[in-house]
Amino acid sequence: MNDLHTSASAAEIYMDDLAREDDLLLRIKERIHAAKMPDVSVAPGYGKMLTLLVTLMGAKHILEIGALGGYSAICMARGMAEGGSITSLEIRPDYAEVAKNHLIEAGFGDQTRYMIGPAVDSLEQLKAAGEKFDFFFIDADKLNYLNYLDMAIEMANPGAVIVADNLLLRGRTLNFERNGPAIQIVREFNRRMADDPRLLGTLLPAYDGLAIAMVKNT
């Protein structure tokens, strides 16, 4: 197990070096650390994957659940189609303000809106307004991951992609002697992303785990 962990860490360091974060993304990470915000931004390799996925599918309307410092939003914004927009849900107004300033600095301020408060409440508002999205990124409180998934599917345009981060919970998901509420919810979330009949999905085991699924046309 130690050899596997060492091998995985070496592979991630290698991939991070190839990902080559630019100066803006590096500054954002430094500011997040200096502000004593949680150091949980998406891994550099997965940030680049977000840009790639959004670009490949030509996503125009993006929904992010969990803003933190804006790192992932910038990665997605760099790939979105012309005239696109990002709606970012964040429970903490101070985090949303940090993210907003970073998106302005990156040149996407006019294309990003923030909804402050519990994400489930914001999702209900968006659903009631009839809003639909092409791409979803879930990176927030794990106890609501199943709620986020169900609501994302309901608000998805045909062929939309759903991506979620931190599915290994720093190894806790794989330790079946641990069965806390968040762990059980994430395990069920992973199962649904992999085999829900409404989705075509898979799980990637690098870093802290990433799930990617496409909403089938039904």
Side-chain angles (χ1 to χ4, degrees), residues 44-93:
Y46 282 159
K48 202 157 195 176
M49 182 179 292
L50 288 176
T51 305
L52 175 63
L53 289 172
V54 171
T55 302
L56 285 174
M57 67 173 303
K60 191 168 185 179
H61 302 292
I62 298 170
L63 179 63
E64 174 185 55
I65 305 175
L68 192 63
Y71 186 105
S72 56
I74 289 172
C75 292
M76 291 184 287
R78 287 174 169 175
M80 68 184 173
E82 185 176 353
S85 64
I86 296 179
T87 299
S88 185
L89 313 184
E90 176 55 56
I91 194 168
R92 292 188 53 157

Side-chain angles (χ1 to χ4, degrees), residues 27-39 41 68-69:
R27 285 199 304 273
I28 289 172
K29 288 173 74 171
E30 290 170 359
R31 291 169 187 164
I32 287 172
H33 178 75
K36 299 189 183 330
M37 296 167 68
D39 186 17
S41 297
L68 192 63

Side-chain angles (χ1 to χ4, degrees), residues 7-8 23 36 43 61 106 110 129 150 160 165 179 201 210 212:
S7 177
D23 289 343
K36 299 189 183 330
H61 302 292
D110 292 339
D150 287 337
D165 196 19
N179 291 288
L210 195 80
I212 305 172

Side-chain angles (χ1 to χ4, degrees), residues 22-216:
D22 57 37
D23 289 343
L24 175 60
L25 293 178
L26 290 171
R27 285 199 304 273
I28 289 172
K29 288 173 74 171
E30 290 170 359
R31 291 169 187 164
I32 287 172
H33 178 75
K36 299 189 183 330
M37 296 167 68
D39 186 17
V40 292
S41 297
V42 66
Y46 282 159
K48 202 157 195 176
M49 182 179 292
L50 288 176
T51 305
L52 175 63
L53 289 172
V54 171
T55 302
L56 285 174
M57 67 173 303
K60 191 168 185 179
H61 302 292
I62 298 170
L63 179 63
E64 174 185 55
I65 305 175
L68 192 63
Y71 186 105
S72 56
I74 289 172
C75 292
M76 291 184 287
R78 287 174 169 175
M80 68 184 173
E82 185 176 353
S85 64
I86 296 179
T87 299
S88 185
L89 313 184
E90 176 55 56
I91 194 168
R92 292 188 53 157
D94 54 337
Y95 288 5
E97 188 65 23
V98 170
K100 179 180 178 181
N101 289 335
H102 286 151
L103 268 292
I104 291 171
E105 184 178 353
F108 301 109
D110 292 339
Q111 295 165 272
T112 311
R113 64 170 167 168
Y114 290 89
M115 298 179 69
I116 312 301
V120 170
D121 294 345
S122 297
L123 288 166
E124 289 288 1
Q125 294 175 39
L126 292 168
K127 180 183 171 183
E131 298 209 29
K132 297 285 186 177
F133 298 90
D134 308 311
F135 194 94
F136 300 82
F137 182 53
I138 303 171
D139 191 7
D141 60 300
K142 304 305 179 275
L143 290 174
N144 272 305
Y145 259 40
L146 294 176
N147 293 327
Y148 299 153
L149 178 59
D150 287 337
M151 297 183 82
I153 292 172
E154 289 182 39
M155 291 190 290
N157 284 321
V161 168
I162 301 171
V163 178
D165 196 19
N166 303 126
L167 301 181
L168 297 180
L169 296 175
R170 300 182 185 273
R172 296 195 301 278
T173 304
L174 306 178
N175 184 352
F176 289 93
E177 294 181 0
R178 302 190 63 169
N179 291 288
I183 295 171
Q184 292 186 59
I185 286 171
V186 168
R187 285 177 185 149
E188 175 61 14
F189 179 93
N190 292 345
R191 186 195 67 77
R192 291 191 194 177
M193 286 290 277
D195 68 13
D196 189 301
R198 298 170 295 179
L199 303 172
L200 175 62
T202 190
L203 308 177
L204 304 180
Y207 303 105
D208 199 28
L210 195 80
I212 305 172
M214 183 184 74
V215 181
K216 295 179 181 177

